[in-house]
Every structure is written in structure tokens, then in C-alpha cells.
Amino acid sequence: MNKSKGGIYKSFLKRPMDIILSFIAIIVFSPVMLVVAILIRIKLGGPVLFKQKRLGLNEKVFIMYKFRTMTDERDGNGELLPDSVRLTTFGRFLRSTSLDELPELLNIIKGDMSIVGPRPLLVQYLPLYNEYQMRRHEVKPGLSGLAQVSGRNAISWEDKFNLDVTYVDNVNFIKDWKIILSTIKKVFVREGINSETAATMEPFRGNRGLEEK
């Protein structure tokens, strides 16, 4: 298995850059985060934050924070209704502007995540990965990544994994800043928020039909 690259930047500079940028972002966006939190409380009720277990560096499980975008509506059997039903107009706005992602800055401060890296995925996906796809966990997951600036939820799972591993093999300062600047641009353009078949992104169901690497 190839090991991820990055040299001095990955080993010594990437983490300090994450901390500095995250603190700056929290200070700059704190008024926005306060307003969003109040509106979520009014429109969706509590809790304001959505917390979920995700996979991080070396498959370590951590709790990821996001602003809540869905209601807790359930059917007669107590099961949650589909995302497309529970995702409100306000929730769609938060997702399309990426405002729902702002609490992840706390994950970056804590060291669970990085500014740039493969997006952290659900814990239940872990047994479904092949060896090639597992390589996405050789680096910390990111607030944004190469897959996000290359299509986000509008591209296939296979393309996402290929882009994630491409990033793992090419971690460097210039590439990270290109991804950061591309992310800012795409937030304003609001591209690739949803897949063609789901309100957000269809779940990963394993490698049936995907070419093994």
C-alpha cells in the first residue's frame, strides 16, 4: 500500500494552519453562527446541533458537529420519515450555503478534522470499503476536500473515492490552498449540493458494480 505524502507540510505545518484558520473563521462567523442557531431553535426546535459518529484518521470514530437541518418527523411506526420530507426549505438553505457545516470548526480545533481532507463518512460504511477505498483514512477528514470542489454530492461514490485517494497521495500546501479557494467560490455558486437521485446523497451500499482497484 502506498503511503500518503506531504513531508514537512503534512507533519509540521498543516495542523498549526488548521488551528489558526479555524480560530479566525470562528471569530469572523460567530455573529452568523449565533443568528443561525437562534433561527434553528425557532424553526426546527431543539437541539440546535446535529451530532453524529463519523470515521476519522486511521478509522478512529469521533463525534462530528453540524447545524441541524431536518425535522424529527416520524411515521406511525416511529421511524424517521425520508430525508426529502424532513429537509425543510430553511434546512435546504443552510445546506446550499454550507452554513450547516460551520460547527465543524470545533472538530478542527479539537483535532478530529482538518480544513482540507476527505469528508468524514458514516461509521456503518467501514465494512463496505475495499482496500483502496480504506486509504482515505490515512489523513484526517476535512471540512472540504478534492471531491467537494470536484462535484460534491453530484458525482458518484466511485469518483469520490478516487478523488479522496488522489488527495491522500498528493497532500501539499499549494493544493490545500487551491481547494480552500475553490470551496469559497463554490459556496457562493452553490454547486453540487444534491445528487440526482436523493435529497442529499444516496447512501454508499458497497462495491457491487464498482471496479475493484
Side-chain angles (χ1 to χ4, degrees), residues 134-160:
M134 287 282 287
R135 295 201 56 226
R136 72 191 310 280
H137 297 297
E138 292 178 14
V139 297
K140 286 183 181 180
L143 184 65
S144 184
L146 186 58
Q148 281 59 56
V149 299
S150 302
R152 197 174 174 179
N153 289 333
I155 61 178
S156 69
W157 278 109
E158 184 175 18
D159 288 339
K160 283 186 177 183

Side-chain angles (χ1 to χ4, degrees), residues 81-93:
L81 294 176
D83 289 356
S84 58
V85 176
R86 296 188 298 117
L87 185 60
T88 64
T89 300
F90 177 60
R92 291 181 188 277
F93 169 77

Side-chain angles (χ1 to χ4, degrees), residues 177-196:
W177 272 101
K178 284 183 177 179
I179 291 173
I180 290 170
L181 295 175
S182 294
T183 299
I184 294 172
K185 176 183 176 182
K186 286 186 175 292
V187 165
F188 285 102
V189 177
R190 303 189 190 182
E191 292 179 339
I193 305 301
N194 301 327
S195 73
E196 296 180 354

Side-chain angles (χ1 to χ4, degrees), residues 11-192:
S11 300
F12 301 106
L13 301 179
K14 188 172 171 68
R15 176 62 180 156
M17 186 180 81
D18 285 341
I19 294 173
I20 292 170
L21 291 180
S22 295
F23 270 119
I24 292 173
I26 288 174
I27 292 170
V28 170
F29 289 108
S30 56
V32 176
M33 294 172 71
L34 178 60
V35 171
V36 169
I38 293 172
L39 290 175
I40 291 174
R41 183 68 182 179
I42 294 172
K43 294 177 176 292
L44 301 178
V48 169
L49 289 181
F50 172 73
K51 302 176 183 179
Q52 190 175 57
K53 291 182 179 180
R54 296 292 179 102
L55 289 167
L57 177 65
N58 298 323
E59 297 89 54
K60 180 181 177 181
V61 177
F62 70 96
I63 302 297
M64 188 180 78
Y65 309 117
K66 298 181 71 172
F67 278 128
R68 182 180 173 195
T69 58
M70 296 186 186
T71 67
D72 286 329
E73 294 177 89
R74 298 175 184 268
D75 60 22
N77 297 319
E79 299 292 329
L80 286 172
L81 294 176
D83 289 356
S84 58
V85 176
R86 296 188 298 117
L87 185 60
T88 64
T89 300
F90 177 60
R92 291 181 188 277
F93 169 77
L94 293 180
R95 286 174 178 257
S96 69
T97 56
S98 295
L99 289 172
D100 63 316
E101 310 280 359
L102 288 177
E104 291 170 43
L105 293 167
L106 299 176
N107 287 118
I108 297 172
I109 297 294
K110 289 175 59 181
D112 299 324
M113 294 175 59
S114 178
I115 295 290
V116 180
R119 284 294 294 164
L121 298 180
L122 299 174
V123 174
Q124 55 261 42
Y125 291 169
L126 185 59
L128 304 178
Y129 297 149
N130 59 32
E131 185 177 354
Y132 175 79
Q133 294 162 347
M134 287 282 287
R135 295 201 56 226
R136 72 191 310 280
H137 297 297
E138 292 178 14
V139 297
K140 286 183 181 180
L143 184 65
S144 184
L146 186 58
Q148 281 59 56
V149 299
S150 302
R152 197 174 174 179
N153 289 333
I155 61 178
S156 69
W157 278 109
E158 184 175 18
D159 288 339
K160 283 186 177 183
F161 285 123
N162 288 337
L163 289 164
D164 288 343
V165 177
T166 295
Y167 175 78
V168 168
D169 285 334
N170 297 277
V171 177
N172 63 71
F173 178 81
I174 294 176
K175 181 175 290 294
D176 273 10
W177 272 101
K178 284 183 177 179
I179 291 173
I180 290 170
L181 295 175
S182 294
T183 299
I184 294 172
K185 176 183 176 182
K186 286 186 175 292
V187 165
F188 285 102
V189 177
R190 303 189 190 182
E191 292 179 339

